[in-house]
Amino acid sequence: MDIARTEVAPAPRPRGNAARLGLMALPVAFFAVFFAYPVAAIVARGLRIDGAWHLGRITEVLAEPGIGQVLWFTTWQALASTALTLLVALPGAYVFARLDFPGKRVLRAVVTVPFVLPTVVVGTAFLALVGRGGFLDDLWGVRLDGTVWAVLLAHVFFNYAVVVRTVGGLWAQLDPRQEEAARMLGASRLRAWRTVTLPALGPAVAAAALMVFLFTFTSFGVVQILGGPGFSTIEVEIYRQTSQIFDLSTAAVLTLVQFAAVGAILGVHAWTVRRGESTLRLVDAARTARRPRGAGQRALLGAVLATVAVLLVLPLAVLVQRSFDAPGFGYYTALTRTDGGTFLVAPIEAVGNSLRYAVAATLIAVLIGSLAAAALARKGAGRLVRGFDALLMLPLGVSAVTVGFGFLITLDKPPLDLRASWILVPLAQALVGAPFVVRTMLPVLRAVDERLREAAAVLGASPWRVWREVDLPIVRRALLIAAGFAFAVSLGEFGATVFIARPDNPTLPVAVARLLGRPGDLNYGQAMALSTILMVVCAVALLVLERLRTERTGEV
């Protein structure tokens, strides 16, 4: 047996390396052509004047007082949003991890709905709650639109699920007997949690905080709708400089700043994840959740339910209510007409456009993301492959506005003249969906025993057959979940789509933004109606995901 192992074991490795390179080829080409090239082109165009590089423009832009205020606001609002989200969401992470109560599965889906909603819908929902003529304005005369508090609350609303899912997922698998052992040795409940549980949760809390910071640092739709002219993040300023002032050099500098910041954030995130891969004593999550015991746990459960109702459910409920303000479904009926002058077609056609684009984007994202995840999951990955893993996350943080405008100035001549093609929108949406596919499928693929793949390869199976016979049966359900996330994310993409969607084929987020940008109660009501439709479609997709997840894990 030792001789056989000596002769056979080295054989799969060259095939494995060749297979990894083959799997990486299409994702690398896709990200190079549709991400790196457009971003590099628009930055180069902004920093080249009369054919010569003008790198001094970087210091000139950064020295402008207005740009300094944008950088400062972007940073401190992201820090404040992250701290506030952790403060509000960590109790929820505990409740979903350790407590069992009726309706938990449905409530978990409700909590996650805001995260998959487009930022335009989030902004619209809070505008209906805290804006002029909104719910709080009618009830108590309180208005928060145009203030930083509206932005911060909307960011907590959007990112609550990030903390609950990331921290709660690990918390549910921590063996509670470790903390109980500390209690038996005389430690108080607080000290046992502080010395045993908190250090184990540290990497998950740090990872959640970094992800929230990333999403809020690059915030666009929320700040644009709720912040008003007084507040601008880097992403909003890039959009303003590109589409309104046509100052590409300033937009290029801001893109480089955002790129550097996001790269640093992703680097810290990768380091945190590696630290989190230490040996923890984990158990089945279904065994750690118990019915609330004692007044303290029941009070905590009640507080979390109240927070979810006020912070997450109320804005969405007000959004739906505002969409029905006109008698006889007036706002929904108006969506079928073109007499408003805002669109070349009836606004309701945006629903069909968005669904078609999202389906195409999902197919592209699943193909690219699955190949990338399969390559990353193979053993013996070197620095090049780990660097590819980090690059896959960049589209989530780099300016979508830059990507969209980059599409217009690069994909305009053969063999890639796609400006008039419908595929341009799905390609941009797939850039955002593919990282979610990778992050969903990678843990499952890494859990597949490598010896199964090696045995299949030794028996003569091709890499494609190894994937089809070994990996696919195991990861089929994860693939469906990844497709659902890619669909929801593609459905709500706004930053790039706002540049490349044709006037006669608007998507739902673009249509909502256009309606909100025009005065009048009819346009406002139609925006609420379209946002409600988009919210329902996203919620249905998420409920399907939750059902698949619980069927896979057996959780109730």
Side-chain angles (χ1 to χ4, degrees):
M1 292 297 295
D2 291 340
I3 296 175
R5 182 148 45 208
T6 302
E7 294 175 349
V8 174
R13 183 169 295 276
R15 293 186 60 183
N17 290 335
R20 180 186 293 115
L21 293 176
L23 291 168
M24 288 176 58
L26 185 58
V28 168
F30 177 79
F31 280 92
V33 173
F34 298 113
F35 176 67
Y37 175 46
V39 171
I42 194 170
V43 170
R45 179 168 295 196
L47 295 180
R48 286 175 67 89
I49 300 177
D50 296 329
W53 288 97
H54 186 54
L55 299 181
R57 181 61 181 156
I58 297 177
T59 56
E60 293 174 4
V61 170
L62 296 180
E64 295 177 9
I67 298 301
Q69 292 176 3
V70 169
L71 297 178
W72 168 241
F73 174 74
T74 301
T75 304
W76 83 256
Q77 67 81 24
L79 290 172
S81 297
T82 302
L84 192 59
T85 303
L86 290 175
L87 180 65
V88 174
L90 281 176
Y94 171 81
V95 165
F96 281 100
R98 294 300 199 194
L99 301 185
D100 188 21
F101 52 91
K104 181 178 177 179
R105 184 172 70 180
V106 175
L107 189 63
R108 191 196 303 273
V110 170
V111 165
T112 315
V113 164
F115 180 69
V116 299
L117 286 179
T119 55
V120 171
V121 174
V122 174
T124 306
F126 271 82
L127 193 64
L129 180 65
V130 303
R132 181 180 61 85
F135 179 78
L136 295 183
D137 191 15
D138 291 344
L139 194 62
W140 293 309
V142 175
R143 287 184 56 188
L144 296 178
D145 58 317
T147 70
V148 71
W149 283 108
V151 174
L152 296 180
L153 289 175
H155 283 162
V156 175
F157 169 90
F158 186 76
N159 293 292
Y160 186 91
V162 175
V163 177
V164 169
R165 291 279 183 165
T166 305
V167 180
L170 178 59
W171 208 334
Q173 293 182 279
L174 292 180
D175 193 341
R177 291 175 295 183
Q178 298 179 68
E179 190 172 322
E180 292 170 0
R183 295 287 307 281
M184 292 180 63
L185 293 174
S188 64
R189 182 182 298 275
L190 178 60
R191 185 177 181 186
W193 180 83
R194 182 170 53 84
T195 58
V196 177
T197 304
L198 184 58
L201 290 175
V205 173
L210 283 167
M211 291 304 293
V212 172
F213 184 85
L214 173 64
F215 291 137
T216 54
F217 187 84
T218 57
S219 183
F220 177 48
V222 168
V223 178
Q224 186 185 36
I225 293 174
L226 295 174
F231 301 104
S232 180
T233 58
I234 294 177
E235 185 82 355
V236 173
E237 188 64 20
I238 290 174
Y239 175 76
R240 191 175 74 89
Q241 295 287 341
T242 303
S243 64
Q244 298 176 10
I245 304 178
F246 305 107
D247 186 351
L248 289 185
S249 64
T250 299
V253 173
L254 291 177
T255 297
L256 290 176
V257 171
Q258 189 174 32
F259 188 86
V262 169
I265 294 169
L266 292 177
V268 174
H269 178 255
W271 175 74
T272 304
V273 170
R274 285 197 297 271
R275 287 191 60 203
E277 294 174 347
S278 58
T279 56
L280 295 174
R281 187 175 180 181
L282 303 180
V283 297
D284 185 1
R287 293 167 45 195
T288 63
R290 300 175 180 175
R291 293 284 183 177
R293 294 180 297 179
Q297 288 190 346
R298 284 192 289 269
L300 180 60
L301 175 60
V304 169
L305 293 178
T307 300
V308 170
V310 174
L311 182 65
L312 305 185
V313 177
L314 181 60
L316 300 180
V318 172
L319 172 66
V320 176
Q321 183 266 325
R322 284 289 187 265
S323 72
F324 288 102
D325 272 356
F329 301 96
Y331 293 142
Y332 289 90
T333 303
L335 295 177
T336 63
R337 301 193 297 263
T338 58
D339 54 1
T342 307
F343 301 97
L344 299 178
V345 295
I348 195 65
E349 292 192 17
V351 178
N353 295 335
S354 287
L355 291 175
R356 287 191 295 271
Y357 289 146
V359 168
T362 299
L363 294 175
I364 298 171
V366 168
L367 173 62
I368 298 299
S370 298
L371 291 174
L376 293 170
R378 292 181 174 270
K379 302 294 183 182
R383 290 184 178 180
L384 179 63
V385 177
R386 289 195 295 270
F388 175 60
D389 187 13
L391 288 175
L392 291 174
M393 295 294 290
L394 282 178
L396 295 180
V398 172
S399 171
V401 172
T402 301
V403 174
F405 196 71
F407 270 33
L408 293 181
I409 67 173
T410 55
L411 305 180
D412 60 345
K413 49 183 173 294
L416 287 174
D417 187 0
L418 302 177
R419 286 177 302 174
S421 174
W422 66 272
I423 197 64
L424 200 61
V425 173
L427 287 171
Q429 294 174 345
L431 282 172
V432 182
F436 284 92
V437 175
V438 174
R439 297 272 75 83
T440 302
M441 294 190 62
L442 191 55
V444 181
L445 284 170
R446 281 176 172 165
V448 177
D449 193 339
E450 184 68 22
R451 290 173 296 183
L452 296 175
R453 299 190 183 106
E454 293 177 353
V458 168
L459 293 174
S462 64
W464 163 246
R465 189 174 182 185
V466 171
W467 161 257
R468 181 165 53 87
E469 301 290 344
V470 177
D471 294 58
L472 184 59
I474 299 174
V475 303
R476 184 181 291 114
R477 196 173 301 276
L479 184 63
L480 292 174
I481 294 174
F485 268 115
F487 179 81
V489 170
S490 301
L491 198 65
E493 204 287 322
F494 175 63
T497 307
V498 70
F499 275 95
I500 57 181
R502 292 164 52 184
D504 58 342
N505 284 290
T507 64
L508 277 168
V510 172
V512 170
R514 288 181 185 174
L515 287 167
L516 287 176
R518 294 177 64 89
D521 291 339
L522 180 60
N523 287 314
Y524 178 82
Q526 288 183 89
M528 297 294 160
L530 274 182
S531 296
T532 300
I533 293 172
L534 184 51
M535 179 187 70
V536 170
V537 174
C538 289
V540 169
L542 188 64
L543 286 171
V544 172
L545 292 181
E546 184 65 19
R547 184 175 182 84
L548 288 173
R549 189 190 70 83
T550 52
E551 285 179 355
R552 179 171 63 88
T553 61
E555 184 181 337
V556 295

